[in-house]
Amino acid sequence: MDGLTLTAPGLTSAQVARAKANHVPRRSSRSLSAILRANVFTLFNLVIGVLWALILIFGEWQDGAFGLVIVANALIGIVQELRAKRTLDKLAVINEAPVRVRRDGAEREVSPRDVVLGDLILLGPGDRLLVDGEVVHSEGLEVDESLLTGEADPVHKKPGEEVLSGSFAVAGSGAFVATRVGTDAYAVRLAEEASRFHLAHSELRAGVANFIKYITWLVIPIGALLIYSQLHNSADLGTAITGAVAGIVTMIPEGLVLTTSLAFAVGVVRLGRRKCLVQELPAIEGLARVDVLCLDKTGTLTTAGMDLDQVLPVQPDGRPIDAALAALAHLDSRPNATAEAIRAGYPATTADGWKAGETVPFSSARKWSGADFGEHGVWVLGAPDVLLQGGDCYDRAAELAATGTRVLVLCRADDLATTGELAGGETPHPASTPTTVLPVALLTFKQRIRPDARETLSYFAKQGVNLKIISGDNTQAVSAIATGLGIPGADRAIDARTLPHDDPDKLGELLDTHTVFGRVTPRQKREFVTALQSRGRTVAMTGDGVNDVLALKDADLGIAMGAGSPATKAVAQVVLLDDKFSTLPHVVGEGRRVLANIERVANLFLTKTFYAIVISLLVGVAGVAFPFAPRHSTLTNALVIGIPAFFLALAPTLERAKPGFVPRVLRFAVPAGVLCALAVLLSFWAAHNGASSLLEDQTAAVITLFLTTWWVLVLIARPLNWWRGAMVAAMAALFCVGLSLPFIREFFALEPGDLTNDLIAVGISVVAAFLISVSVKVAGTLRP
């Protein structure tokens, strides 16, 4: 031990009250002002606001109904995002691991936001460093700075050395004094700089952004052409403005952004009810795309705790096994699950008189710990297949491990000097194992299998998600547990120490053909994730221990268990706060629901955009009257797009998301939109050449517009279960009601008085519907 002892008083209450606190923005949600800006101050809202004002000035107020829809959309978006924000903020508070500090001479736990400049902060394995500081006490303290530097090997920290926020303790214990907190801390400054210049890739977000960008560039010239055409060819300024506004408003997919945000927000709230914290919204998209799920055995398939089962002496000379176990188990002030299980059977009094000098704390890379107890000798405790090089004890340990039992070996050693580096290239403190060891006893532990593990694993198998069991434990033990849970290929487990660490292609092949891997080091877990991703896989990684942090960070989707280490929960995008493995199917299902339904909704909105572009372009070039007024588009858009979109965006689905969001939507929306536009124009011009009035001609066009876009809705809503069938039928019924009731007809300027025109419109709609079905089926976008 060196440096300041842990009896140092730390800050006083008066000093804490005056010191700067660690206030940083939460990662999981945006501010109220950001939510308001995102829903109100948008380019589309600005354009529609100007058009609304033009209608109120030059047209009839009924044609300005589309403006009220925008107001309603903004309000709905704000309310839903605020609901999601409240859910996320509450869950984020639950997820925040308390920080151990020493104040007024006593140890206490405080919220991360209550840490202040100058606090004496205590560290143990798995603790995440939230602020920068200077080490003042170290008992074999090792800190992993890989998330900051990319260097995977832990760094041994001595008093006087700097530690940075964003790193985490992996072994030993210690204390440091906070020197930079809040937005001055290194990790916070790093995150702010990264967020200014980079956002994690999201195909969905990028696709929607591209749609908006290109549509904006199309709206400007086509809108200008339409305005010129209507003003040039109409004697009535009000009619010209109304026609131009009808085309421009219909081109804008104003509800696409809203329903996308709404689907994400509702997904967050639904997952929040299951005590699942989504720390990054793009994670919901990742949930839908996952096709490989990597599971750490301990804490995921098994619960975090374990029970000491047997202590089996292997030497006949009556060595002090009980005292040695008690002394080793009580070395660390922050014991892991194994040490806690030993402590339960061997209290500290069993090791009276045993004082440790030099110590080597346990780490996931080493897989052993030890101490020099002076006259009582050097003792080490760890994995038999790491400490032993063969022999009867080694074989006995292997037999026990093959039953699924966790096995450790207690050994005497000449000293704590070590032999060299570990398999896979890791060099922990400073090497691998003591040079000479004598096995004294084998320890067996009972592991607790999660009761929901088998059912959850079966769900993923049925959904076509490949499972990979990746564990640092004995290979035979991991294989036995996986076999008991019915995981295919569990009998062909691989010892990760035999895997190539310099041939990613070979590693990828082995990962493709095998399911269970034992004795995996933290660095190898990271390599596994990278190798799978290089083969085009979308990888989710679950874990709870500090040895899972690097893999969780690199995975497409990191999922941490609620009982996991603070460092693990900090880097994961999703945290299962109630620690229930059975929540995972709901998590994946929610992601699939969001993505599949946003694609459906995008098909609806962009079909509308493309038919409006085609109609506006042809009307602008031909110099004729626009076939419908803004109030007509408000009615049809509400019935075939607005109202159904809300239902479709929230509907359940089990379909796994596939890449190619933008091309699929375009293959559907472009032909459907073009055919709808041609049908509407044909109906309008056929009616316009007769003796009917302009309102009757526009009504014929509106009938065609509704029927063709309603058929698009039918195709998108497939398969038609009871509620989807009821929804599309209800929309048709509402349109019929609108044509039948005089006051609705008057408000929406509908005049179905010319039976011939209306029947022609219906006939054209039927033909267009058939052609739309054929075109999207040929394009391969029609859902079964």
Side-chain angles (χ1 to χ4, degrees):
M1 300 182 192
D2 46 14
L4 187 70
T5 67
L6 291 183
T7 56
L11 297 179
T12 65
S13 298
Q15 289 172 320
V16 170
R18 295 193 299 268
K20 178 182 178 180
N22 183 45
H23 292 309
V24 294
R26 282 203 173 95
R27 161 192 180 194
S28 56
S29 67
R30 53 183 176 176
S31 65
L32 174 60
S33 60
I35 291 173
L36 290 174
R37 285 196 303 272
N39 286 278
V40 177
F41 301 109
T42 68
L43 175 62
F44 283 168
N45 282 358
L46 173 63
V47 172
I48 290 174
V50 171
L51 297 176
W52 191 16
L54 289 174
I55 286 293
L56 293 180
I57 294 171
F58 297 103
E60 299 182 19
W61 68 270
Q62 293 95 328
D63 284 318
F66 65 87
L68 299 177
V69 174
I70 301 306
V71 173
N73 283 351
L75 289 175
I76 291 170
I78 291 169
V79 169
Q80 287 297 340
E81 280 212 56
L82 287 177
R83 283 185 64 207
K85 174 180 170 59
R86 283 197 299 270
T87 299
L88 285 172
D89 288 347
K90 288 177 183 177
L91 294 178
V93 171
I94 296 172
N95 185 53
E96 285 178 348
V99 179
R100 294 185 307 136
V101 300
R102 185 171 288 278
R103 292 177 180 173
D104 295 318
E107 181 181 324
R108 65 183 66 178
E109 290 186 343
V110 300
S111 162
R113 289 173 173 252
D114 293 333
V115 173
V116 300
L117 191 66
D119 252 331
L120 178 61
I121 300 172
L122 312 180
L123 288 176
D127 282 345
R128 175 190 175 209
L129 279 73
L130 299 173
V131 298
D132 302 342
E134 180 181 330
V135 176
V136 293
H137 175 79
S138 173
E139 295 183 29
L141 178 64
E142 295 179 26
V143 173
D144 190 313
E145 299 177 339
S146 58
L147 300 181
L148 304 176
T149 65
E151 179 58 49
D153 293 332
V155 179
H156 181 68
K157 291 293 184 180
K158 299 177 181 178
E161 293 184 344
E162 184 182 39
V163 287
L164 296 174
S165 54
S167 54
F168 52 93
V170 292
S173 59
F176 72 97
V177 172
T179 57
R180 288 189 294 271
V181 300
T183 54
D184 294 332
Y186 180 77
V188 176
R189 286 187 284 116
L190 199 66
E192 286 181 347
E193 290 172 9
S195 65
R196 287 181 198 142
F197 303 106
H198 174 71
L199 284 172
H201 175 71
S202 161
E203 184 185 358
L204 179 65
R205 183 174 57 202
V208 172
N210 282 334
F211 286 143
I212 300 301
K213 179 175 69 174
Y214 295 134
I215 288 166
T216 301
W217 285 110
L218 285 172
V219 165
I220 294 172
I222 296 174
L225 172 65
L226 185 61
I227 291 171
Y228 171 79
S229 170
Q230 296 298 293
L231 290 173
H232 184 70
N233 293 282
S234 177
D236 181 1
L237 178 61
T239 302
I241 293 293
T242 300
V245 168
I248 297 172
V249 167
T250 311
M251 277 189 276
I252 298 175
E254 72 284 349
L256 178 58
V257 176
L258 169 70
T259 49
T260 301
S261 301
L262 179 64
F264 275 122
V266 172
V268 166
V269 173
R270 283 179 171 175
L271 290 174
R273 290 174 184 156
R274 294 187 179 275
K275 296 295 185 288
C276 175
L277 170 62
V278 179
Q279 303 199 90
E280 295 178 4
L281 277 183
I284 290 186
E285 181 179 349
L287 295 172
R289 302 190 188 281
V290 166
D291 56 11
V292 175
L293 177 61
C294 297
L295 301 167
D296 178 45
K297 176 185 70 67
T298 306
T300 305
L301 299 182
T302 63
T303 55
M306 61 182 72
D307 301 310
L308 179 62
D309 186 20
Q310 299 180 82
V311 177
L312 306 172
V314 295
Q315 297 293 335
D317 54 359
R319 296 174 189 266
I321 295 174
D322 293 357
L325 286 174
L328 288 170
H330 287 84
L331 276 178
D332 199 333
S333 59
R334 298 283 301 278
N336 58 23
T338 303
E340 285 183 345
I342 297 173
R343 282 185 175 196
Y346 296 91
T349 53
T350 309
D352 284 345
W354 288 54
K355 295 192 179 299
E358 182 184 1
T359 63
V360 176
F362 177 83
S363 78
S364 298
R366 261 189 301 273
K367 305 192 188 305
W368 63 272
S369 62
D372 185 344
F373 294 102
E375 62 182 14
H376 298 290
V378 176
W379 293 79
V380 295
L381 179 67
D385 51 340
V386 172
L387 291 173
L388 306 180
Q389 303 300 317
D392 293 340
C393 185
Y394 181 95
D395 294 338
R396 179 74 188 284
E399 292 174 5
L400 291 168
T403 66
T405 301
R406 183 180 176 87
V407 184
L408 296 181
V409 63
L410 175 68
C411 300
R412 280 292 304 269
D414 292 342
D415 52 45
L416 292 174
T418 50
T419 58
E421 74 171 11
L422 281 174
E426 301 204 15
T427 311
H429 193 279
S432 58
T433 59
T435 52
T436 305
V437 296
L438 174 69
V440 175
L442 290 173
L443 285 70
T444 64
F445 298 83
K446 292 180 180 177
Q447 299 183 91
R448 308 161 192 165
I449 303 295
R450 289 185 180 272
D452 52 5
R454 180 183 289 273
E455 182 180 351
T456 304
L457 294 173
S458 175
Y459 165 84
F460 283 114
K462 291 177 182 176
Q463 294 299 313
V465 178
N466 293 314
L467 299 175
K468 305 294 175 187
I469 310 302
I470 300 174
S471 176
D473 283 356
N474 178 276
T475 306
Q476 288 88 352
V478 179
S479 175
I481 289 175
T483 301
L485 290 171
I487 297 175
D491 57 330
R492 297 186 298 112
I494 292 183
D495 189 323
R497 291 172 296 185
T498 66
L499 293 174
H501 63 273
D502 55 355
D503 189 348
D505 292 335
K506 180 63 175 175
L507 178 61
E509 290 176 11
L510 291 170
L511 286 167
D512 271 347
T513 55
H514 292 76
T515 302
V516 178
F517 302 85
R519 289 297 178 224
V520 185
T521 64
R523 177 184 288 179
Q524 283 180 308
K525 289 186 178 184
R526 191 179 200 178
E527 291 172 352
F528 282 17
V529 169
T530 303
L532 287 166
Q533 290 170 329
S534 69
R535 301 176 78 83
R537 303 288 191 149
T538 302
V539 182
M541 175 78 193
T542 68
D544 70 331
V546 69
N547 58 321
D548 301 318
V549 169
L550 302 180
L552 285 172
K553 185 69 176 176
D554 285 356
D556 297 289
L557 180 67
I559 304 172
M561 308 305 286
S565 71
T568 306
K569 293 188 287 185
V571 301
Q573 292 104 324
V574 175
V575 182
L576 307 180
L577 294 174
D578 58 1
D579 215 36
K580 288 183 178 178
F581 187 46
S582 57
T583 304
L584 271 181
H586 300 288
V587 171
V588 173
E590 191 62 33
R592 291 181 176 183
R593 180 196 65 78
V594 169
L595 217 61
N597 292 336
I598 287 176
E599 185 169 326
R600 292 178 188 269
V601 168
N603 283 331
L604 272 178
F605 280 104
L606 293 176
T607 297
K608 179 192 76 142
T609 294
F610 281 112
Y611 79 63
I613 288 173
V614 172
I615 292 175
S616 299
L617 192 58
L618 293 178
V619 165
V621 171
V624 296
F626 203 81
F628 52 81
R631 69 184 82 178
H632 297 145
S633 64
T634 300
L635 174 64
T636 55
N637 291 345
L639 294 179
V640 298
I641 298 175
I643 296 172
F646 280 102
F647 289 101
L648 292 175
L650 307 179
T653 181
L654 294 177
E655 181 183 354
R656 189 170 77 210
K658 301 173 184 175
F661 166 72
V662 172
R664 275 197 310 277
V665 171
L666 290 177
R667 286 199 305 271
F668 184 101
V670 171
V674 170
L675 288 168
C676 287
L678 295 177
V680 169
L681 288 174
L682 187 57
S683 294
F684 179 69
W685 289 337
H688 200 52
N689 289 327
S692 52
S693 66
L694 177 60
L695 273 184
E696 290 174 334
D697 298 343
Q698 289 182 328
T699 301
V702 170
I703 291 172
T704 300
L705 178 63
F706 174 81
L707 290 177
T708 52
T709 52
W710 178 81
W711 185 248
V712 169
L713 171 62
V714 171
L715 296 178
I716 290 172
R718 285 166 56 110
L720 292 176
N721 54 19
W722 71 268
W723 72 264
R724 287 177 181 161
M727 178 189 69
V728 296
M731 297 303 102
L734 287 174
F735 184 73
C736 292
V737 169
L739 288 176
S740 304
L741 297 180
F743 69 94
I744 296 179
R745 285 205 311 267
E746 181 179 352
F747 181 87
F748 286 106
L750 295 172
E751 194 172 316
D754 192 315
L755 183 59
T756 302
N757 286 348
D758 297 342
L759 290 176
I760 291 173
V762 172
I764 292 173
S765 302
V766 171
V767 174
F770 172 76
L771 294 176
I772 291 169
S773 300
V774 171
S775 67
V776 295
K777 190 169 185 178
V778 169
T781 58
L782 185 60
R783 293 180 182 272

